[in-house]
Structures are given as structure tokens and as C-alpha cells.
Amino acid sequence: SKNAFEDEDGCPDATVLVGKKKLKVLRRISFVYDDTRIKTDSFPVLDEVAAVLRRNPQLGHVSIEGHTDAHGPAEYNLKLSEGRARSVLEYLVGQGIDRNRLQARGYGKSRLLIEGATTDDEHRKNRRVEFVIVVEE
């Protein structure tokens, strides 16, 4: 059964789903603290993103969008989020995805999911990478 958990079949269920506007990634992509390096435990998630992109050429271009929480100076967060989005792009290119299908953008803390976040969990939700399907005009 598809429920995003490991179940009786012993195989992890899909963690990357194709939505209308974005790829829905059910596990977070983690980075080394204060750095653009992807943590190795996020490689399997990105490998699945790459597999989904390979299987779905009709999705065309995907924008990899990095976001931070509200801590820290805006300019620093913008650079950090851009660097992290670029790291994800380079990882996917390394997995055979055509660089021309991808773009990396950082938004820093300009697009918080939870404004006025106070708990660690809320800050964690604001720190994210999104895979947005670019609709050609």
C-alpha cells in the first residue's frame, strides 16, 4: 500500500510524487548546518527525484527553489538558499538529468510557509527545497 511508510512488503514507498505544479517530496532534503553541502542521508531522496525526472520527460523544466527560516540576515539567507538550490541542481546533473531542464533559485526568507514561526518544527518547515514545474508560456 502507498502510505509513505515502510510496510509489510519491506520496501519503502514512493517519497516523490508528481503534482500539477510541483514534485511533492515527502522527505526533507537536509544540508550540513550553515553550509550548502547536502547531507548524505538525503541522497536517496534526490536519487528518487532524478528517477522521477528521467521517467517524466514531459514535465520539461523544473525550478529548484531553496528557502530558509527567518533567522539571520536576509542577504546571508538569500546566498545560503541559492547555494543549496545549486547543490541540488549539481547533484541531479550528476545523476544524468540534463542541466538545461533545471534552474536553481534561492528565496532566502522571502517566502516563509509559516510567518512568525516560533517552534523548531515551524522553523524546520520554512527551511525547504521545492521542485516547481516550470510551465512554458
Side-chain angles (χ1 to χ4, degrees), residues 4-29:
F5 288 102
E6 293 201 18
D7 47 32
E8 64 287 343
D9 63 12
C11 297
D13 292 328
T15 53
V16 181
L17 309 169
V18 178
K20 269 191 170 54
K21 296 193 167 120
K22 56 180 74 170
L23 300 184
K24 189 168 170 58
V25 181
L26 303 177
R27 285 192 39 222
R28 39 183 312 101
I29 296 162

Side-chain angles (χ1 to χ4, degrees), residues 14-87:
T15 53
V16 181
L17 309 169
V18 178
K20 269 191 170 54
K21 296 193 167 120
K22 56 180 74 170
L23 300 184
K24 189 168 170 58
V25 181
L26 303 177
R27 285 192 39 222
R28 39 183 312 101
I29 296 162
S30 308
F31 296 87
V32 174
Y33 178 73
D34 214 21
D35 200 314
T36 60
R37 285 174 300 154
I38 302 163
K39 285 189 178 172
T40 53
D41 63 2
S42 289
F43 291 172
V45 181
L46 291 175
D47 292 345
E48 193 175 339
V49 169
V52 166
L53 291 174
R54 273 196 296 277
R55 283 197 307 270
N56 295 278
Q58 78 284 0
L59 292 177
H61 293 79
V62 173
S63 177
I64 301 160
E65 303 187 349
H67 302 271
T68 65
D69 60 27
H71 294 307
E75 197 174 318
Y76 171 82
N77 281 341
L78 190 62
K79 264 176 86 163
L80 184 64
S81 64
E82 283 171 355
R84 288 178 168 181
R86 266 199 308 277
S87 291

Side-chain angles (χ1 to χ4, degrees), residues 94-110:
Q95 297 301 305
I97 302 303
D98 181 353
R99 182 180 297 276
N100 295 325
R101 283 184 73 187
L102 304 173
Q103 62 189 40
R105 288 199 138 117
Y107 289 97
K109 57 183 177 181
S110 68

